[in-house]
Amino acid sequence: MAISNVNVKDLALANGWALIPLSIPVPPTPMLERAVGYQRETEGRFLAIWWEPCGDEAMVSDGLVSFTGHWPGYLTFVQHLRIYPHLAAYNLGSSEGEAEYHLVIDRQEGTAFLLPSRQADRLLSMQWERAERQEIPQVLSLKDLEAVLQKIAQEWRAPSTADVMAQMKEDQAAVQALRDWLDHLATQAK
């Protein structure tokens, strides 16, 4: 089932999921995505974020790729005074324990909701089923594996200090843009 045009509430109802819609502001794409480190070219409709105790890190997933996200962006969003009151009663994970819920952003609709972790994982994977799912290359022999590893070793280059500094500056700017956007909303609400 391709879910690019499916109503999430209907999908949750059909699957018996415990969907919790949230009335929180969702930044325009790709502001939140950049702040948490999601920079994929082929982007999914749904993106989930939560905290993982293993490594004590923010996590980001679109169902095809899950990775350690940029924690300052995650914390800027979930701890902001416009967002935190809506999330405080739910366990999105911590340094001490696994997340019971994932915060899921519907990038197409500009909405947010909570789903229990396993249900969120299922939703995320559903968006890549069938034609959208990328083929994963398979190594058929040790000789093939050696060739792949040799190619990677030849093409890989360590990032320079300038590369690292430029990425840090870009990450800081993305988090600041998110903070400014949220703070602007907070001042408008007063």
Side-chain angles (χ1 to χ4, degrees), residues 72-119:
Y74 171 84
L75 292 178
T76 294
F77 188 66
V78 301
Q79 293 179 346
H80 194 273
L81 62 96
R82 289 288 311 267
I83 308 299
Y84 181 76
H86 300 274
L87 303 177
Y90 302 97
N91 176 5
L92 291 176
S94 69
S95 301
E96 291 79 37
E98 296 283 329
E100 293 175 32
Y101 292 90
H102 289 177
L103 175 58
V104 180
I105 305 298
D106 182 339
R107 301 172 69 243
Q108 181 176 301
E109 299 294 325
T111 58
F113 51 91
L114 295 167
L115 270 173
S117 300
R118 291 191 193 275
Q119 294 171 9

Side-chain angles (χ1 to χ4, degrees), residues 4-176:
S4 59
N5 296 319
V6 171
N7 180 298
V8 176
K9 290 179 184 177
D10 294 340
L11 185 63
L13 184 62
N15 285 285
W17 294 344
L19 179 82
I20 303 166
L22 298 171
S23 58
I24 62 174
V26 174
T29 298
M31 184 180 292
L32 177 61
E33 294 88 330
R34 287 191 179 144
V36 298
Y38 183 73
Q39 298 178 8
R40 297 194 59 233
E41 293 298 320
T42 51
E43 301 166 333
R45 173 180 173 182
F46 301 104
L47 187 69
I49 58 176
W50 70 96
W51 196 266
E52 180 68 38
C54 182
D56 203 17
E57 294 289 345
M59 296 299 295
V60 179
S61 180
D62 67 5
L64 191 58
V65 175
S66 298
F67 61 94
T68 301
H70 186 58
W71 64 265
Y74 171 84
L75 292 178
T76 294
F77 188 66
V78 301
Q79 293 179 346
H80 194 273
L81 62 96
R82 289 288 311 267
I83 308 299
Y84 181 76
H86 300 274
L87 303 177
Y90 302 97
N91 176 5
L92 291 176
S94 69
S95 301
E96 291 79 37
E98 296 283 329
E100 293 175 32
Y101 292 90
H102 289 177
L103 175 58
V104 180
I105 305 298
D106 182 339
R107 301 172 69 243
Q108 181 176 301
E109 299 294 325
T111 58
F113 51 91
L114 295 167
L115 270 173
S117 300
R118 291 191 193 275
Q119 294 171 9
D121 292 344
R122 179 64 188 131
L123 171 68
L124 294 172
S125 68
M126 287 173 74
Q127 73 182 334
W128 300 107
E129 290 182 355
R130 298 199 180 150
E132 294 98 358
R133 185 167 289 206
Q134 297 175 351
E135 291 295 319
I136 298 172
Q138 295 183 4
V139 177
L140 302 176
S141 69
L142 185 55
K143 185 177 179 180
D144 291 339
L145 177 59
E146 288 173 359
V148 168
L149 292 175
Q150 188 174 40
K151 182 178 179 185
I152 291 171
Q154 289 171 349
E155 293 176 1
W156 184 82
R157 72 169 181 84
S160 68
T161 302
D163 293 338
V164 172
M165 296 305 290
Q167 185 62 55
M168 289 173 63
K169 188 174 182 177
E170 184 179 314
D171 291 345
Q172 290 170 346
V175 172
Q176 189 60 51

